[in-house]
Amino acid sequence: MRLHLITPENSSFQTLLTTIPLLQQDFDMLHLRLHYFSDQKLLSLVKELRNQSFPDSKLLLHDRPHLVAELGLSHVQIGFRSPRFEVVKKRYPFLKIGVSVHSLREMEQAKEADFFMLGHIYQTASKPNKQPLGEKEAEQIIETINQPVIAIGGIQPAHITPLHQIGFHGVAVMGGVLNMDKPVEALASYNRARRELNV
Ligand SMILES: Cc1nc(C(=O)O)sc1CCOP(=O)(O)O
């Protein structure tokens, strides 16, 4: 079960730079979802992470395929702030493109995506007035899709086993690690749950 970390809304350059290198062995993909950073600031952050030996293979940028291409990275995530999937696919055919979706209909509109992020599965502070999909509906959606699907929204360590059983390829966590007082310990509890899957 893959574990993706997403930068929280209020992340600062300096906090990310001090926290991420402490955690980098223990997750699979870092989503830089920093829509309030300028291109220049985002480029500087990637440069600093690289200086600290953060691997390119674990770096994904949201919404900015032009920067992914400029940096020679491979993964971009497309959401409502992004250029449309078809446009990105045509212009950057060499990129791995993930698409953020909330329904089967949205998945079908991006049929050629390399992977999807489906949410929100559970209640989450980041979507206070919206009903979550829940496990049952999520299962019905992902069983019709061949690509890997990452679950997002309110994911706690205890959700890892049921989400794995439903068929999710991984989980994405935003607030539950990088916003915590003790991110190393918070991440460890997700990894314990991942290890338990193999018992
Ligand atoms: C960034 C994001 N996208 C969502 C979606 O449903 O598309 S839910 C979400 C935030 C997830 O935060 P947390 O892990 O703290 O619940």
Side-chain angles (χ1 to χ4, degrees):
M1 194 69 160
R2 308 266 297 170
L3 178 57
H4 292 210
L5 288 192
I6 303 189
T7 51
E9 286 293 340
N10 53 356
S11 303
S12 77
F13 189 101
Q14 205 46 50
T15 308
L16 290 173
L17 210 50
T18 47
T19 315
I20 297 296
L22 298 177
L23 309 174
Q24 71 188 40
Q25 306 296 333
D26 297 321
F27 63 84
D28 299 300
M29 191 63 90
L30 174 67
H31 289 231
L32 295 177
R33 181 178 176 272
L34 296 161
H35 43 89
Y36 47 94
F37 275 26
S38 66
D39 280 4
Q40 211 47 50
K41 194 168 172 183
L42 193 50
L43 286 170
S44 304
L45 179 65
V46 171
K47 191 171 152 220
E48 292 292 337
L49 287 170
R50 281 173 160 172
N51 286 344
Q52 299 207 33
S53 307
F54 191 89
D56 280 2
S57 59
K58 289 190 181 184
L59 262 182
L60 174 156
L61 305 192
H62 277 233
D63 305 321
R64 295 188 232 198
H66 61 290
L67 292 192
V68 176
E70 183 178 331
L71 286 159
L73 296 172
S74 52
H75 286 74
V76 67
Q77 187 76 26
I78 296 301
F80 72 92
R81 292 186 186 85
S82 310
R84 287 185 35 225
F85 170 74
E86 301 74 26
V87 175
V88 176
K89 179 84 185 156
K90 191 162 181 200
R91 179 116 192 247
Y92 304 98
F94 47 89
L95 295 184
K96 294 272 180 226
I97 307 177
V99 180
S100 296
V101 294
H102 309 90
S103 64
L104 183 57
R105 195 166 151 264
E106 287 182 10
M107 274 183 170
E108 288 172 347
Q109 285 168 352
K111 271 200 180 76
E112 292 173 54
D114 293 292
F115 60 100
F116 292 102
M117 204 152 68
L118 176 67
H120 54 300
I121 310 296
Y122 305 105
Q123 293 282 1
T124 166
S126 70
K127 307 249 172 174
N129 302 316
K130 289 196 179 158
Q131 192 67 15
L133 287 170
E135 292 172 3
K136 242 200 184 120
E137 189 171 347
E139 182 172 19
Q140 286 165 2
I141 292 173
I142 66 175
E143 68 191 11
T144 66
I145 290 288
N146 291 324
Q147 291 97 322
V149 186
I150 306 292
I152 187 169
I155 313 285
Q156 301 296 320
H159 297 136
I160 287 186
T161 296
L163 292 172
H164 176 73
Q165 285 164 350
I166 286 170
F168 276 102
H169 178 74
V171 295
V173 179
M174 190 168 88
V177 173
L178 291 173
N179 265 354
M180 304 307 269
D181 289 343
K182 296 187 172 175
V184 173
E185 286 81 349
L187 184 54
S189 60
Y190 285 90
N191 280 319
R192 267 196 301 280
R194 287 206 291 168
R195 278 196 302 275
E196 277 163 19
L197 288 177
N198 300 323
V199 176

